Amino acid sequence: MAGVFLVSLGFLMPSSAPALQPVFVNLGTRAYTVQVGRNLLPNVGQEIARKLQGSKVAVITDSNVAPLYAETVLGSLRAAGKQPVLITVPAGEASKSMPQAERVLDDIAAAGLDRKSFVVALGGGVIGDLAGFVAAIYQRGIPYVQIPTTVLSQVDSSVGGKTGVNLKDAKNMVGAFHQPAHVFADVETLNSLPKREWNEGFAEIIKHAAIRDASLFEEIEAVADGRGDMTSLIRRNIAIKASIVEQDEFETQGLRALLNFGHTLGHAIEAAAGYGQLLHGEAISIGLHAATWLSTQLSGLNQDEMDRILSALKAFDLPLHMPQGMDEQDVLRRMKMDKKFVEGSIRFVLLRKLGESFVSAETRMEHMTQALDQVRAPSVS
Ligand code: NAD
Ligand code: GLY
C-alpha cells in the first residue's frame, strides 16, 4: 500500500499552511517519498542533503525550464553544501534520444561526478526519463532525484522508475528501471506551463481514473470546471501510481501493465507523427479513444462510460482523432515494434467498466485496424 506520511515539514510550507502529506512509495531498499505541495523548490537542497551525502550533483534540465527554475534549485543545493553543475538540453521529445544521453554523460564525466555523486532531473517527462536513464547507466548507476515540472510528469512519469530514451521508429525502446531517491512535485511550477502542455497531462490522469478509480472523474470534472483542487488531484494520482508500482515494480505481474491503457496505439501514433509534433499526452488521448472504443466492442464497456471518458478528454481540448494524412500502415508497423507486442501477440489493456481494467490476450491485428478506423481524422470535404 502506498502510505501517507503525516510528518511535519514546516520548512517546506508557509507557517499557516497545513502539513504536507507526502506519498511513500514502499519498495523496500528502493523506497522513497514523493512530496507534493507549493513552493518546495527553494528547500529541495536541504531535503536532498538528508538522504544523499555526495557533494557533486548534475542538475539536468531543458531550455524552457532552465531560465524559470534552475537558479532556485542550484541555489538551494549550494546552500545545502552541494556543488551543482547545470546541464541543459533542447526542450522537446527529440531530446529523449541516445545522442542526447551520450552528450549528457560526457558532460557529467567532464564535471567529475563519481559514484557518490547524483543527478537531479528538473523538468517534464522528457527530462525525467533522460536524466533517470543517464543516472541508471553512469558508472553502472548513481542516485537521482526527480523534480517534475509538468502535470504529466508530476502525476505519472516521475514516479515508478521507468527511465529511457526513444529510438527513431518507436518510443522508450532503450531504458532501465531505476527508482529515484526522492521526488518533489512543486505544484507552483505548473503556473508557467503553456495551456497545451497543461492540458496534455490530463490524458494520464484520465487514464488513471479509467483503469483504477472511477470516482476520480468527479475531481477531474471539477478541475475542468475551475472548481477543483489541483494539489489534491495530483497527490491522488501519485498515490494510485505508487500503489501499482509497489505491487508490480518490474511489470511482471500483469498489474503495472494496466498503466499502458491507451499507450499501445498512442505510442505508435506519437512516433508516426514525428517526435514533438503531437505532445505525448495528445497522442495518448487518441490512443485512449481507440482503446475505449475497443472496450465497448470486446469487453462490455457501455456507451455512457465511453462518453464520460471522451467528454473528460474533450474538456481539456485533447485530440480524439489522428492528424490529417497520418499513414495507418506506418502506425501499425510501429505498433508491432512496441514492447507490449510479444512473440507476435499483443497484450492490450481493455476496460470492463470505468475503474476496472484487464490485460487481454485476445486482441488481434484486425482489432487494431478497426480501432484505428475509429480514430481516423474526419474527412475534409
Ligand atoms: P516535456 O518534458 O517535453 O514537457 C513538455 C513541455 O513543457 C516542454 O517544452 C518543456 O520544456 C515544457 N515545460 C516543462 N515544465 C515547464 C514549466 N513548469 N513551465 C513552462 N514550461 C515547461 O513533456 P511531458 O509531457 O512532461 O513528458 C512527456 C514524456 O514523458 C514522454 O517522453 C513520455 O514518454 C514520458 N513518460 C514517461 C513515463 C514514465 O513512467 N517514465 C510515464 C508517462 C510519460
Ligand atoms: N507509465 C507507465 C508506467 O510507469 O508503468
Side-chain angles (χ1 to χ4, degrees):
M1 273 280 294
V4 170
F5 277 171
L6 288 171
V7 291
S8 167
L9 293 162
F11 67 92
L12 289 171
M13 298 289 288
S15 52
S16 58
L20 290 175
Q21 298 183 334
V23 178
F24 183 60
V25 189
N26 191 357
L27 291 171
T29 54
R30 294 178 301 286
Y32 53 97
T33 296
V34 185
Q35 281 170 216
V36 191
R38 295 192 174 272
N39 208 21
L40 305 184
L41 292 196
N43 297 297
V44 290
Q46 204 177 338
E47 185 71 4
I48 289 170
R50 291 171 199 229
K51 188 148 187 187
L52 299 171
Q53 274 74 51
S55 57
K56 286 191 178 164
V57 44
V59 177
I60 301 173
T61 190
D62 76 25
S63 51
N64 290 334
V65 177
L68 296 169
Y69 304 114
E71 217 23 75
T72 307
V73 170
L74 294 173
S76 175
L77 287 163
R78 284 190 202 105
K82 304 296 182 192
Q83 298 164 32
V85 290
L86 183 66
I87 299 173
T88 305
V89 302
E93 186 71 27
S95 279
K96 219 176 98 172
S97 67
M98 288 300 283
Q100 280 300 337
E102 188 175 0
R103 196 220 108 192
V104 171
L105 286 162
D106 282 339
D107 286 358
I108 287 179
L113 269 72
D114 59 28
R115 300 190 76 183
K116 281 207 146 178
S117 309
F118 62 96
V119 163
V120 170
L122 173 66
V126 165
I127 289 300
D129 284 10
L130 174 71
F133 178 56
V134 160
I137 60 176
Y138 183 69
Q139 299 201 359
R140 300 202 185 87
I142 62 173
Y144 75 114
V145 171
Q146 289 268 19
I147 308 184
T149 62
T150 60
V151 174
L152 186 143
S153 56
Q154 293 193 357
V155 299
D156 190 348
S157 61
S158 61
V159 176
K162 278 191 182 175
T163 74
V165 296
N166 305 320
L167 295 183
K168 176 170 54 66
D169 280 335
K171 291 266 305 171
N172 301 337
M173 291 293 278
V174 178
F177 283 101
H178 188 43
Q179 297 294 341
H182 209 121
V183 183
F184 299 91
D186 187 337
V187 182
E188 205 76 34
T189 61
L190 305 181
N191 291 338
S192 53
L193 274 180
K195 189 79 181 145
R196 189 175 165 202
E197 281 73 8
W198 167 273
N199 283 339
E200 65 142 344
F202 283 84
E204 303 286 12
I205 293 176
I206 293 163
K207 174 194 79 179
H208 284 156
I211 62 163
R212 199 72 176 160
D213 182 357
S215 70
L216 198 58
F217 277 105
E218 280 158 36
E219 218 168 315
I220 295 168
E221 287 153 3
V223 169
D225 293 346
R227 293 176 285 115
D229 173 0
M230 200 56 191
T231 309
S232 148
L233 183 63
I234 288 173
R235 187 186 279 116
R236 198 165 158 192
N237 274 272
I238 290 169
I240 289 173
K241 174 109 191 229
S243 87
I244 290 174
V245 169
E246 282 174 352
Q247 294 170 71
D248 186 12
E249 182 180 2
F250 299 108
E251 207 170 306
T252 51
Q253 313 295 316
L255 181 61
R256 188 165 183 170
L258 301 178
L259 292 168
N260 297 326
F261 182 57
H263 283 56
T264 305
L265 285 168
H267 274 165
I269 290 168
E270 185 180 355
Y275 295 129
Q277 297 306 307
L278 284 170
L279 297 177
H280 177 71
E282 294 171 341
I284 294 311
S285 175
I286 302 166
L288 289 174
H289 180 193
T292 299
W293 177 80
L294 260 189
S295 300
T296 65
Q297 305 302 302
L298 300 177
S299 54
L301 191 76
N302 70 40
Q303 189 63 40
D304 286 348
E305 292 173 307
M306 168 151 163
D307 289 346
R308 196 160 188 200
I309 293 174
L310 300 192
S311 298
L313 295 169
K314 280 192 227 163
F316 292 95
D317 286 333
L318 286 163
L320 298 180
H321 296 95
M322 294 188 288
Q324 292 289 346
M326 182 163 273
D327 177 351
E328 287 170 33
Q329 290 311 313
D330 187 36
V331 174
L332 291 173
R333 178 183 72 81
R334 289 169 194 268
M335 194 203 69
K336 286 184 190 160
M337 295 179 72
D338 194 283
K339 300 188 293 305
K340 295 174 277 302
F341 209 83
V342 180
E343 294 187 350
S345 78
I346 314 157
R347 291 171 297 153
F348 199 84
V349 183
L350 294 172
L351 304 178
R352 286 198 187 88
K353 57 182 189 173
L354 287 186
E356 196 178 311
S357 50
F358 69 104
V359 180
S360 165
E362 309 298 316
T363 42
R364 298 185 301 277
M365 281 310 285
E366 69 203 64
H367 297 128
M368 299 300 113
T369 308
Q370 290 162 5
L372 278 186
D373 279 349
Q374 291 299 311
V375 301
R376 181 180 295 148
S379 54
V380 277
S381 49

